[in-house]
Amino acid sequence: MKKNISCGELAAFWAVLVLSFGAVYQARADAGLAEQIAKADMGYGEYLAGECMTCHRNQSAGIPNINGLDAEKFVTIMRAYRSKELENKVMQMMAGRLNDEQIISLAAYFSSLSN
Amino acid sequence: MTSISRRYFGGLLGATATGLAMPSLAFGAAPKVVVVGGGAGGATAARYIAKDSKGSIDVTLVEASKRYYTCFFSNLYIGGFRKYASIGHNYYGLAVNNRINVVHEWAASIDGAARTVTLASGGKLSYDKLVLSPGIALKYDSIAGYSPQAQGRMPHGWTSGTQAQQIRNQVMTMKKGGTFVMVAPPNPYRCPPGPYERVSMIAHLLKERNPTAKIIVLDPKEKFSKMGLFTAGWEKHYPGMVEWIGPEAHGGIKSVNHETMEIVTDLDTFKADAACVVPAMSAGVIAQNAGVTDGDWAPIIPATMASKADPNIFVLGDASVASAMPKSGFSANSQAKVAANAIRGELTGSRVYDARFANTCWSLIATNDGVKVGANYKAGSEKIDVVDKFVSQGDESSEVRKTTYEESIGWYSGITTDMFS
């Protein structure tokens, strides 16, 4: 039986296609991310983490606890704040001055902590 | 030079210099750090030095109070958004979890040449490095008629604790339709948005309990932190209640009288039913005593927070001249980490990383209406310089303002854990 495809379904199809392509592209670009995280400078990460610890401590309203956060997820989120894809003026500013090496050092350090 | 070698350079240099300058290390004795002041700067510095040196540095914290009431969020207590107990903290975490020797006394004097701190009781502490984070001293004589005697009826409330309780009580018991007068301080002072958040919180209390009351703000400054956001907030939430009068209009604040509750300006004499008078400020008295101040405040070397007058003394927070950084708890906490890193490097040869600073000041205008201003900074050769900054916008949705308030609650929980756990 023939099925009419609605505008909404078509839009969803394209959205999934574009997102999948984006994810694959990002994965290719980050092929070495796990390796970079493994080789990260933990001491530098610990020092840089001091800036985050002023706010990120306890699970309370407003600010999440980031101890134990998956390192690759950490990198993805911080890059999204840096490029201002994620909203929050404080985080956009804090991430804005971090280069990839610094973000990776932070990711390695925070992922090593117990939640 | 690569970024890595630049980063390690300070540490190597520190290690070499330390080996020569610190004979105590050669004999295996733990180097000694004394921290004076257990607030956002001092508590953080003591904790980071103790924690990161893993026992290789002997840390003593001198703080007179056994329970510390934060200045930040004391306005929220005044407004009824926080319980008084929730802004009080003790030193159990620093003493027990971090093995810091917490001495509950006043530091009376400092001998930079002998590297000793003499306590009010007469006891003495010796140090290799001294951290001074004494906060502010109030310049009572900056307003004629103001004094420690006058602050009972005209509390400044600028050191939290009992003074904040007095302000809240004044507002709660003020006569119906009465006038609250707020005398704001001149620049530079602790917590730039603080006087205006306080006005907001008092207005919030009065709106419910005493809606015909008025608040008059007498300001020695032409403009103030987040001015547009506060004045728009007052019009929106407390229409007709708050009147801000700047120096062009009042012509100068001449004197106060706590017995008649009058505040005299060139323009007029204001009769208050309740008042908050915040005088000018300077670095805490012990910083002046230590000889590290130039005028009212202590100049520092931006890369380390070391005093320009004595390389073995580090000055943090409100007492320091931190150039573009405002005098705030967040700033002090940020500066403490830079100093802790530099001090560990000098004493143990640990790596010294590039100094980086940040600050955000959240203010609450009314229920779920939070605003913020912030910046991050780097160490220039002479000054601490801004890298990037932001401020809440006037046209933000109520959703964003609510999120900003919730974020401030998370920050309070975070910074107090960072200071005291």
Side-chain angles (χ1 to χ4, degrees):
Chain A
M1 199 166 85
K2 240 183 177 179
K3 189 178 173 224
N4 288 326
I5 298 173
S6 73
C7 278
E9 284 169 323
L10 198 63
F13 169 76
W14 277 110
V16 168
L17 191 71
V18 169
L19 279 176
S20 308
F21 180 76
V24 169
Y25 180 79
Q26 187 64 37
R28 278 170 62 89
D30 283 354
L33 183 58
E35 197 183 330
Q36 289 176 62
I37 290 166
K39 287 196 299 192
D41 181 344
M42 293 288 269
Y44 193 33
E46 184 176 12
Y47 171 69
L48 293 170
E51 278 202 328
C52 315
M53 293 301 216
T54 304
C55 302
H56 292 273
R57 278 287 172 157
N58 306 323
Q59 192 72 49
S60 65
I63 298 177
N65 182 348
I66 54 173
N67 291 359
L69 186 66
D70 175 75
E72 292 193 30
K73 194 171 170 185
F74 186 104
V75 172
T76 305
I77 292 170
M78 289 300 280
R79 282 174 174 167
Y81 277 122
R82 189 172 62 185
S83 62
K84 302 195 190 314
E85 286 163 71
L86 278 176
E87 288 290 334
N88 186 299
K89 287 179 192 297
V90 180
M91 285 307 301
Q92 288 175 351
M93 180 184 79
M94 300 308 282
R97 82 186 293 195
L98 296 170
N99 62 31
D100 267 354
E101 182 207 359
Q102 291 168 328
I103 288 178
I104 288 167
S105 300
L106 279 166
Y109 175 71
F110 276 110
S111 68
S112 76
L113 300 179
S114 57
N115 193 306
Chain B
M1 202 147 82
T2 68
S3 66
I4 289 174
S5 63
R6 200 163 51 232
R7 236 190 286 136
Y8 291 177
F9 181 69
L12 293 172
L13 187 69
T16 314
T18 304
L20 295 171
M22 292 293 158
S24 64
L25 287 180
F27 300 109
K32 292 184 180 65
V33 171
V34 174
V35 180
V36 175
T44 306
R47 183 168 170 273
Y48 272 71
I49 294 167
K51 172 174 81 66
D52 294 341
S53 68
K54 298 177 173 65
S56 66
I57 296 175
D58 182 337
V59 183
T60 299
L61 174 66
V62 181
E63 164 57 51
S65 311
K66 291 185 173 122
R67 192 161 177 81
Y68 181 87
Y69 288 89
T70 57
C71 253
F72 44 94
F73 269 32
S74 64
N75 283 333
L76 271 63
Y77 152 70
I78 290 171
F81 290 89
R82 298 285 290 212
K83 295 280 181 218
Y84 186 64
S86 80
I87 61 166
H89 305 268
N90 65 40
Y91 291 90
Y92 176 91
L94 295 185
V96 176
N97 302 341
N98 296 281
R99 296 173 180 267
I100 292 165
N101 175 26
V102 181
V103 176
H104 290 302
E105 282 206 50
W106 281 99
S109 65
I110 285 156
D111 183 337
R115 284 188 284 166
T116 56
V117 177
T118 301
L119 303 170
S121 66
K124 239 176 211 174
L125 299 163
S126 62
Y127 64 81
D128 293 303
K129 299 290 174 191
L130 175 66
V131 177
L132 289 182
S133 191
I136 51 152
L138 296 162
K139 296 174 79 172
Y140 288 99
D141 59 5
S142 65
I143 301 174
Y146 200 58
S147 67
Q149 210 116 48
Q151 76 178 29
R153 292 198 66 203
M154 293 181 153
H156 50 79
W158 227 245
T159 48
S160 196
T162 312
Q163 279 276 302
Q165 290 181 306
Q166 280 175 291
I167 290 173
R168 180 168 159 86
N169 184 57
Q170 274 199 351
V171 180
M172 301 287 270
T173 57
M174 195 168 82
K175 75 170 189 195
K176 294 290 168 219
T179 301
F180 188 100
V181 178
M182 167 99 196
V183 177
N187 287 324
Y189 62 96
R190 160 183 284 177
C191 192
Y196 314 99
E197 181 183 56
R198 176 163 296 172
V199 165
S200 307
M201 292 295 93
I202 292 169
H204 171 78
L205 270 188
L206 292 174
K207 187 180 178 182
E208 280 177 20
R209 305 177 59 87
N210 190 351
T212 56
K214 293 270 180 291
I215 302 172
I216 292 170
V217 187
L218 297 172
D219 208 320
K221 307 179 294 295
E222 288 294 351
K223 54 183 185 173
F224 56 84
S225 173
K226 294 185 263 193
M227 188 170 185
L229 295 168
F230 278 114
T231 50
W234 295 339
E235 274 171 37
K236 179 181 174 189
H237 300 290
Y238 319 112
M241 184 179 271
V242 181
E243 185 184 0
W244 179 85
I245 306 176
E248 268 183 22
H250 64 60
I253 298 156
K254 298 298 172 198
S255 65
V256 298
N257 184 329
H258 68 282
E259 283 164 359
T260 59
M261 291 298 280
E262 287 174 332
I263 295 105
V264 180
T265 70
D266 258 0
L267 169 75
D268 208 349
T269 294
F270 295 85
K271 179 90 175 68
D273 295 295
C276 168
V277 175
V278 189
M281 298 164 204
S282 66
V285 174
I286 194 71
Q288 299 169 41
N289 176 291
V292 295
T293 50
D294 180 7
D296 285 336
W297 311 98
I300 48 86
I301 295 164
T304 60
M305 298 302 293
S307 159
K308 282 189 173 166
D310 184 333
N312 295 315
I313 301 180
F314 295 71
V315 188
L316 306 179
D318 298 347
S320 70
V321 179
S323 340
M325 285 187 92
K327 297 184 186 303
S328 74
F330 197 129
S331 291
N333 168 271
S334 173
Q335 293 157 8
K337 291 165 192 174
V338 169
N341 189 247
I343 289 168
R344 280 201 305 124
E346 288 186 35
L347 294 179
T348 68
S350 66
R351 281 190 241 160
V352 177
Y353 299 105
D354 53 332
R356 35 199 311 125
F357 305 92
N359 175 64
T360 298
C361 294
W362 286 269
S363 303
L364 187 61
I365 300 175
T367 305
N368 288 327
D369 191 356
V371 291
K372 57 185 173 180
V373 60
N376 52 19
Y377 309 85
K378 64 179 180 356
S381 55
E382 281 301 310
K383 293 193 297 187
I384 296 177
D385 299 318
V386 174
V387 175
D388 193 12
K389 59 184 177 181
F390 70 85
V391 62
S392 293
Q393 299 300 299
D395 57 359
E396 286 167 343
S397 67
S398 54
E399 192 65 28
V400 168
R401 292 294 177 88
K402 182 169 183 278
T403 306
T404 301
Y405 169 56
E406 286 168 354
E407 192 176 83
S408 75
I409 297 169
W411 162 74
Y412 187 89
S413 167
I415 191 171
T416 51
T417 307
D418 204 31
M419 288 161 64
F420 295 116
S421 69

